[in-house]
Amino acid sequence: MLRMIVLTLFPLFLWAAQPNTGENIWVKVGQIYGIEPRLLYSIAKVESDLDRYVVAFSANKMTPQQAQELSTFLRQKGIESKQYSQVIAIKSKNKYEASHVVHFLYTHNYPRFDMGIMQINSIHKPLLDRANISLYDLFDPKINIQVGAYILATCFARHKNNKDAINAYNGKIDDNPYSAKVFKEFQKLYSSYQRDKTKLYYRDPS
């Protein structure tokens, strides 16, 4: 059911839907990179619950001083955060707040962090620099989804099966329940589409 075909790796290519064209970003980016749109959406659902402004990273990689400084920064800015197991999710209300969070983390040498709707990791900054994309641009969901699709396409090019490729997107191939979570979300979309094939089964984030 879940077949992925990546015939070639495109250079990172940014496409922006024109207003009122009716083109859906998930569909269009899926066409560009040869990836099932529902898979892109399912990954975004698992990664961020479709929150375009969330920034997340591993709490156990901070020093005690960094933890205290981050707490002070967030309190002063009135920005909410929540800890899930060992992951801290910082939930900004808008791009302005989210950009301040990224600036703080990056300039104060915090651990690698994930940004936006598909949770692009800051480890990809060299790739972004080559494409003339800033970390702050990743809070535009259309840019974020395209970067995520490109990264996922490279994962499919390197690995032999869907499970390993999807786990690689999450950064760990073996003993990783991530792909199972993604497949579960995919199945929800597939079931919904089967019930009503004229229904748009994923919403546009714009």
Side-chain angles (χ1 to χ4, degrees), residues 30-159:
Q31 291 171 344
I32 291 171
Y33 290 102
I35 298 174
E36 162 61 59
R38 285 167 290 183
L39 177 61
L40 294 174
Y41 186 93
S42 298
I43 287 175
K45 183 71 174 172
V46 171
E47 287 285 345
S48 68
D49 199 23
L50 307 177
D51 184 342
R52 68 182 68 187
Y53 301 126
V54 67
V55 177
F57 63 95
S58 296
N60 59 2
K61 294 184 178 180
M62 285 191 297
T63 66
Q65 181 179 348
Q66 285 178 323
Q68 180 59 46
E69 290 176 349
L70 177 62
S71 177
T72 300
F73 168 80
L74 295 176
R75 185 172 63 254
Q76 289 175 344
K77 297 292 184 181
I79 300 173
E80 294 182 3
S81 67
K82 187 171 183 179
Q83 187 159 341
Y84 303 88
S85 183
Q86 292 299 316
V87 175
I88 290 180
I90 302 172
K91 297 178 175 290
S92 299
K93 296 184 287 294
N94 50 53
K95 183 178 179 179
Y96 178 79
E97 282 190 358
S99 296
H100 270 274
V101 170
V102 165
H103 179 76
F104 177 83
L105 296 177
Y106 187 74
T107 57
H108 289 78
N109 298 314
Y110 276 74
R112 297 185 318 206
F113 48 89
D114 302 315
M115 295 160 282
I117 195 167
M118 291 195 72
Q119 289 289 274
I120 308 303
N121 194 278
S122 57
I123 197 174
H124 297 295
K125 191 175 185 302
L127 168 68
L128 300 173
D129 289 342
R130 290 195 298 272
N132 198 29
I133 301 170
S134 75
L135 296 179
Y136 313 115
D137 290 332
L138 294 175
F139 297 116
D140 178 337
K142 286 183 169 56
I143 293 175
N144 193 291
I145 291 166
Q146 289 175 87
V147 174
Y150 177 83
I151 294 168
L152 182 61
T154 65
C155 294
F156 276 111
R158 293 189 187 118
H159 301 283

